């Protein structure tokens, strides 16, 4: 069984809990596994949320400071790996010109497409 949609979770949880009585000897392991999976899901959600907030902030900063910034550039920012986001953030903080920022976006985009 897999929880692929949030609305599937109650049904899956109910199914697992109904089996709990049959597997009393492994009850603790099942509950520990459920707790672990829940914590891992929460952590992934937090990380994704933090990344999304960071990307949105960078897109807003770039679009506000650079009239040449396009939706295509915004897409490139959203696709950047974390290390490239760090480089872009540093370049913005150091007030690098748009030409240099765009070069960073293009280079990273080319590397991702060639991989």
């Amino acid at each position: 069984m897999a929880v692929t949609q949030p609305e599937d979770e109650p049904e899956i949880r109910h199914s697992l809990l109904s089996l709990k009585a049959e597997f009393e000897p492994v009850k603790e392991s099942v509950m520990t596994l459920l707790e672990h999976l829940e914590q891992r899901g929460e952590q992934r959600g937090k990380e994704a949320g933090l990344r999304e907030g960071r990307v949105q902030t960078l897109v807003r900063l770039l679009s506000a400071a650079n009239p040449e910034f396009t939706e295509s550039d915004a897409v490139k920012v959203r696709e950047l790996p974390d290390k490239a986001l760090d480089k872009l953030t540093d370049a913005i903080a150091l007030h690098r010109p748009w030409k240099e920022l765009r070069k960073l976006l293009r280079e990273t985009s080319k590397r991702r497409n060639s991989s």
Side-chain angles (χ1 to χ4, degrees), residues 1-5 8-20 23 30 33-34 37:
M1 288 188 275
V3 179
T4 56
Q5 300 296 324
D8 294 339
E9 183 181 338
E11 182 181 337
I12 301 294
R13 185 179 296 274
H14 176 64
S15 297
L16 288 172
L17 291 175
S18 69
L19 296 173
K20 188 171 79 168
F23 297 101
V30 170
L33 177 60
L34 285 173
L37 292 172

Side-chain angles (χ1 to χ4, degrees), residues 1 6 9 21 31 39 41 43 50 52 55 58 78 85 97:
M1 288 188 275
E9 183 181 338
M31 293 310 292
Q39 289 172 355
Q43 184 62 32
L50 289 172
E52 182 59 28
V55 167
L58 288 173
R78 290 182 187 100
L85 284 176

Side-chain angles (χ1 to χ4, degrees), residues 24-82:
E24 194 63 37
V26 294
K27 172 184 172 185
E28 192 62 36
S29 295
V30 170
M31 293 310 292
T32 301
L33 177 60
L34 285 173
E35 290 166 356
H36 171 74
L37 292 172
E38 186 175 309
Q39 289 172 355
R40 195 169 83 190
E42 288 174 2
Q43 184 62 32
R44 282 184 179 172
K46 287 177 187 175
E47 289 169 3
L50 289 172
R51 178 182 164 75
E52 182 59 28
R54 182 178 182 200
V55 167
Q56 286 178 2
T57 299
L58 288 173
V59 167
R60 282 197 312 268
L61 286 171
L62 287 166
S63 65
N66 304 287
E68 307 92 336
F69 187 78
T70 65
E71 184 55 37
S72 173
D73 295 322
V75 169
K76 289 176 186 171
V77 172
R78 290 182 187 100
E79 294 174 347
L80 291 176
D82 289 340

Side-chain angles (χ1 to χ4, degrees), residues 109-115:
S109 180
K110 285 178 188 175
R111 275 189 231 124
R112 286 189 65 116
N113 291 335
S114 65
S115 304

